[in-house]
Amino acid sequence: MSTEARKPPAQIALKIRRILGGKTGWNGVAVQFVFAAILGWIGYEIVSNTRANLENQHIAAGFGFLRNNAGFDVNQTLISYTGSDTFLRVFVVGLLNTLVVSVVGIVFATVIGFIVALCRLSPNWLLSRVGEIYVEIIRNLPVLFQILFWYLAVLAALPNPRQSISLLGIVFISNRGLVIPRPIGESGFEPFLAALAVGIVGALALRVYARSALFQRGQMIRIWPYVLGLLFGLPLVTMLVFGLPFTFELPQLKGFNFAGGSRIIPEFVALTVALSTYTAAFIAEIVRAGILSVHKGQMEAGSSLGLSRGTTLRLIVVPQAMRVIVPPLTNQYLNLTKNSSLAVAIGYPDLVSVFAGTSLSQTGQAIEIIAMTMGVYLLISLLTSAVMSVYGWRVSRSLGA
Amino acid sequence: MSDITSSSFVRHDLLTERPAPVKTTGFIGLVRTRLFNSPTNILLTIVGALLLGFTIVPSVKFLMVDAVWTGKDRAACLPENAGFAVGACWPYIQAKLPQLIYGFYPEAERWRVNLALILAAVLLLPLLVPRLPAKGLNAGLFFFAFPVVAFFLLHGGGITGFGLSWTAGLLQLFDDSIMSAGQALLSPSKTSAIAPLLWVIGNLILLVGTAISWLIFPLTWLRDQIQGTGQSVWVDFAITTVVVSLIAFWLGGGVRAGWRTLASSLAAFVAIAIVIKLMGLDHGGLPIVQTSLWGGLLVTLVVSVTGIVTSLPIGIALALGRRSTIPLIRIFSIAFIEFWRGVPLITVLFFATYMLPLFLPGNFTVDGLVRALIGIALFTGAYQAENVRGGVSCDPARAGRGCRCARAVLVEDDLAHRAAAGAAPRHSEPRQQLHLAVQGHFARFDRGAVRFARFPASVVRGSEVVDAVDVVHRLRLCRYHLLYLLLWNVALLALRRAPPQRPPPQLIELHHVR
């Protein structure tokens, strides 16, 4: 009786089967064919119907319309724009407006969120209750409602510019928005910027050097006086040498409105306030969860090693808390960016409002415009999540998890 | 000796009482320990009190003190009528309350909205109380029957046919689409370079289309005959009842075990008949109220209930698709989920309003509310998919292994049966180890996990498979169980309640599935 070893199975065929059909083999391949056929059929239906519909409505498909004149005005533009500019310019203007409201909102939301989280964690009973009430009320009201509340109930109820509320005679709040001083560049502006850049780069280099000295030779170098000197002293010196970098133009009340200064439109104020307070409630809970997730023993272990309380916090507690905090925090930043599209409800000229709203109703190019708008948001989301997965990979690697 | 006694100290009188420790309980204790125990805390307390004062006092003043409470309408709130600076205007809200609830829904028809809301509450409340029985029936009524009834209640209108006519219509639509695709391939092929290939494919598709049209001819013919009779709805209903009940009877086990299924199927059809008769759907139904007249709380509830009900099946399907190992299905699910999660809801609504009508055939108009509902269903479905996936994959102790356990126990059970029936048991060493390990795990999992696990295991084969590949072929899961499992899982997920504990593994029940 021969006991020859059986031949090993053909690995290539197995591999192909695995790649094509996953764990289910040829059954999976068959399922995929059916699925592809259904998808193809749906795709065919959509394309043929859209073609017929566009032909009936006499709309030419394609992105040619982007070169046509827009013919409408936008009440907040970061780049120069007039009604005779193209729809492409409208797209850029809307995109910049979306980005600016998102960035400002994210900054404020982070600050408010951290403050509220610290309030909720505070041993002070009253303050932690205040934080809790804030979070519970704000989180459970729809964000659209809050935007409308700030715009229609708070800002519209403010006095007109002649009776506007003034803060130190510099900033004026009225129902026409917020008027703030405008910086005007002077002769010393470029040297000031250059000195600032040199200072930041120098401070970073010093930090890298100090850390490598600590890790490789165990040598503690005190760098903070030099860092302060670089960050503040150098720009100050350039200011003395080259003159002031910029002066402020103060707003003056003339007639029924303000002259000078720059005006922030009330829509922007309402949207920023609503989005940042709303997202701050979520951020507060995330931060609180992150800090509470670090075990009390970590703090005790740090002090048993002889580290001071601040050092323990900085080196042991915060890094572990950040690991928990950062991914949901980015999610909230994304949510804020996406929620900023609700600006269309109060007429803030963001991407959805000026491009998917006004431009769409003027040109009727629904497919192109909505695809572009969705594509922009999708791109922002995907980029952020890609960055986040890199971050998650690095954190899990550095913590050895 | 005496030295020690003389030098030792013995106290002769009691110590004076020390003062009682500072009270740390109750309100006083709270004030002492949590509010005013240090300078910083005193400062923080003052800050908190100021914050509360600056927000609560003006709000109370606006909402209550300065508010106008009596009157007919807004005129009562004008400062000259009220005589003081007016805050909130409650008479206005009172006057507009019906509009805030019903929108412009005709006043004579508002009982329909009320009835639908009461029906929803009556069906939803027992679903939320874990102790009440008949969760399956309840969930079925709420998730499947209620939306249909609510549609005919709120929107109105009747039906002209039933299952048979609808099936025939759908199939005919499908056939027309195939035929038009074939025609489209044939028409430009005269000039194209790959003309012969296109011609062949086009003709093949046309052939398939013709074959389908012949196949469905009995159905369409029957439908036309039924439409010709006066009682089209009832004739159609009777035929559908007979056909569906017979199929249920056959799938349920035939003469041997199918009587229960037959009875429940007939009961369901009787219930449907009663609803049709009660609402008069066979002759026009209730007067139609256009959705443009709906508004207020009604629309909020319609949108949210539809979103909740539709997002769950979509979410489960997408989540399982994302966990599948079949490449195309996984890629499609990932792309679909990430797309909808990456865009804001308002652009989805723009999409549903402006783009969706272009995707549909020209003679096919979709109501504005329905378009929004479609957009919301897709959007929330993608979010729900991630929730489901999180529940399945990030909790390996429960569901993930549960899947494997259920599958492995099925296999082992099958092998044991073959052994009992006299077939040679081929228990190899690793398999027995697997069996033991599985039994160990399985004892820890309750019935709910297994029930939950069975569903993915049977729907998407690629999602969770035990190491031994050949076992897949031994499993012959009854197809009709899919519906039951879907229903169960929808209810289970919706309730998120812990299923009742039952100590031994449910082997008999698993048999039943097979």
Side-chain angles (χ1 to χ4, degrees), chain B residues 247-334:
Chain B
I247 292 176
F249 181 62
W250 181 60
L251 280 175
V255 186
R256 191 164 45 80
W259 298 105
R260 228 184 119 90
T261 330
L262 182 67
S264 50
S265 160
L266 285 177
F269 275 105
V270 168
I272 293 172
I274 291 172
V275 168
I276 290 178
K277 195 73 206 166
L278 268 181
M279 294 174 69
L281 295 181
D282 50 338
H283 43 264
L286 296 161
I288 290 178
V289 179
Q290 295 298 334
T291 52
S292 52
L293 296 177
W294 302 15
L297 186 67
L298 169 65
V299 167
T300 305
L301 288 178
V302 166
V303 170
S304 50
V305 168
T306 318
I308 291 167
V309 171
T310 51
S311 71
L312 211 53
I314 297 176
I316 292 175
L318 283 174
L320 295 177
R322 194 168 181 167
R323 281 174 68 75
S324 164
T325 55
I326 301 172
L328 189 63
I329 289 180
R330 193 181 63 235
I331 291 168
F332 174 80
S333 305
I334 291 176

Side-chain angles (χ1 to χ4, degrees), chain B residues 385-398:
Chain B
E386 289 297 275
N387 290 343
V388 174
R389 191 169 72 101
V392 173
S393 65
C394 291
D395 196 1
R398 203 175 161 83

Side-chain angles (χ1 to χ4, degrees), chain A residues 79-298:
Chain A
I79 55 175
S80 68
Y81 169 83
T82 56
S84 58
D85 275 320
T86 60
F87 282 110
L88 189 63
R89 190 93 174 162
V90 172
F91 173 75
V92 177
V93 164
L95 179 58
L96 285 177
N97 282 339
T98 292
L99 290 180
V100 79
V101 80
S102 310
V103 170
V104 174
I106 283 172
V107 171
F108 280 115
T110 313
V111 172
I112 301 172
F114 271 78
I115 291 173
V116 174
L118 292 181
C119 280
R120 275 202 83 173
L121 288 170
S122 134
N124 188 301
W125 181 83
L126 188 65
L127 213 55
S128 71
R129 288 295 91 75
V130 170
E132 199 180 326
I133 292 169
Y134 173 84
V135 168
E136 292 306 330
I137 288 182
I138 297 279
R139 270 203 317 185
N140 289 309
L141 290 175
V143 63
L144 183 60
F145 165 79
Q146 293 189 34
I147 292 172
L148 292 175
F149 171 80
W150 285 104
Y151 186 62
L152 298 175
V154 178
L155 291 186
L158 285 173
N160 59 22
R162 287 178 67 81
Q163 279 101 38
S164 61
I165 304 162
S166 132
L167 301 176
L168 307 171
I170 301 170
V171 177
F172 296 90
I173 305 170
S174 65
N175 59 4
R176 304 280 283 274
L178 194 68
V179 186
I180 56 169
R182 179 166 50 187
I184 299 171
E186 297 275 326
S187 61
F189 189 58
E190 284 92 5
F192 176 78
L193 271 191
L196 204 64
V198 168
I200 291 171
V201 170
L204 284 177
L206 263 182
R207 184 183 144 80
V208 169
Y209 171 70
R211 284 189 83 80
S212 73
L214 176 66
F215 290 156
Q216 282 164 14
R217 300 195 300 277
Q219 189 183 3
M220 290 276 270
I221 304 175
R222 190 200 289 169
I223 56 164
W224 64 264
Y226 306 106
V227 169
L228 277 187
L230 274 174
L231 283 184
F232 295 98
L234 203 62
L236 224 68
V237 170
T238 38
M239 239 195 265
L240 289 178
V241 175
F242 292 97
L244 282 177
F246 40 76
T247 52
F248 285 104
E249 183 194 54
L250 291 179
Q252 301 286 334
L253 188 62
K254 280 194 183 149
F256 290 105
N257 215 336
F258 285 97
S262 43
R263 192 172 75 94
I264 300 174
I265 56 172
E267 289 85 8
F268 180 85
V269 178
L271 192 63
T272 314
V273 171
L275 285 180
S276 49
T277 48
Y278 177 74
T279 316
F282 289 89
I283 291 179
E285 286 300 274
I286 290 168
V287 171
R288 192 171 74 99
I291 292 174
L292 288 182
S293 76
V294 181
H295 196 259
K296 202 173 70 177
Q298 299 283 325

Side-chain angles (χ1 to χ4, degrees), chain A residues 23 41 45 53 123-124 338, chain B residues 34 45 177 325 341 358 360:
Chain A
K23 284 181 184 171
W41 179 59
E45 274 292 304
N53 285 327
N124 188 301
K338 286 189 279 179
Chain B
R34 306 274 315 264
T45 307
S177 165
T325 55
R341 269 164 43 97
L358 290 177
L360 296 170

Side-chain angles (χ1 to χ4, degrees), chain B residues 183-417:
Chain B
Q183 292 289 355
L185 275 182
L186 279 187
S187 51
S189 62
K190 303 278 191 295
T191 55
S192 169
I194 47 167
L197 183 67
L198 283 183
W199 186 84
V200 169
I201 295 177
N203 267 326
L204 264 180
I205 292 177
L206 273 185
L207 203 66
V208 171
T210 322
I212 292 177
S213 77
W214 280 110
L215 269 179
I216 63 172
F217 177 72
L219 264 181
T220 44
W221 177 81
L222 200 58
R223 179 195 54 185
D224 294 341
Q225 292 300 312
I226 289 170
Q227 295 297 341
T229 63
Q231 290 285 326
S232 63
V233 174
W234 291 111
V235 175
D236 194 343
F237 182 83
I239 295 174
T240 313
T241 308
V242 170
V243 171
V244 172
S245 298
L246 278 181
I247 292 176
F249 181 62
W250 181 60
L251 280 175
V255 186
R256 191 164 45 80
W259 298 105
R260 228 184 119 90
T261 330
L262 182 67
S264 50
S265 160
L266 285 177
F269 275 105
V270 168
I272 293 172
I274 291 172
V275 168
I276 290 178
K277 195 73 206 166
L278 268 181
M279 294 174 69
L281 295 181
D282 50 338
H283 43 264
L286 296 161
I288 290 178
V289 179
Q290 295 298 334
T291 52
S292 52
L293 296 177
W294 302 15
L297 186 67
L298 169 65
V299 167
T300 305
L301 288 178
V302 166
V303 170
S304 50
V305 168
T306 318
I308 291 167
V309 171
T310 51
S311 71
L312 211 53
I314 297 176
I316 292 175
L318 283 174
L320 295 177
R322 194 168 181 167
R323 281 174 68 75
S324 164
T325 55
I326 301 172
L328 189 63
I329 289 180
R330 193 181 63 235
I331 291 168
F332 174 80
S333 305
I334 291 176
F336 194 88
I337 292 172
E338 292 305 326
F339 175 76
W340 294 112
R341 269 164 43 97
V343 295
L345 178 60
I346 196 137
T347 59
V348 175
L349 295 179
F350 268 85
F351 163 83
T353 315
Y354 294 112
M355 255 162 109
L356 214 56
L358 290 177
F359 289 169
L360 296 170
N363 53 359
F364 205 82
T365 52
V366 185
D367 186 82
L369 184 64
V370 177
R371 282 185 227 157
L373 288 179
I374 292 173
I376 284 176
L378 296 174
F379 185 77
T380 46
Y383 276 86
Q384 200 68 274
E386 289 297 275
N387 290 343
V388 174
R389 191 169 72 101
V392 173
S393 65
C394 291
D395 196 1
R398 203 175 161 83
R401 272 200 210 136
C403 293
R404 276 162 219 217
C405 290
R407 176 59 66 81
V409 169
L410 278 170
V411 175
E412 291 308 316
D413 202 43
D414 183 49
L415 289 173
H417 259 259

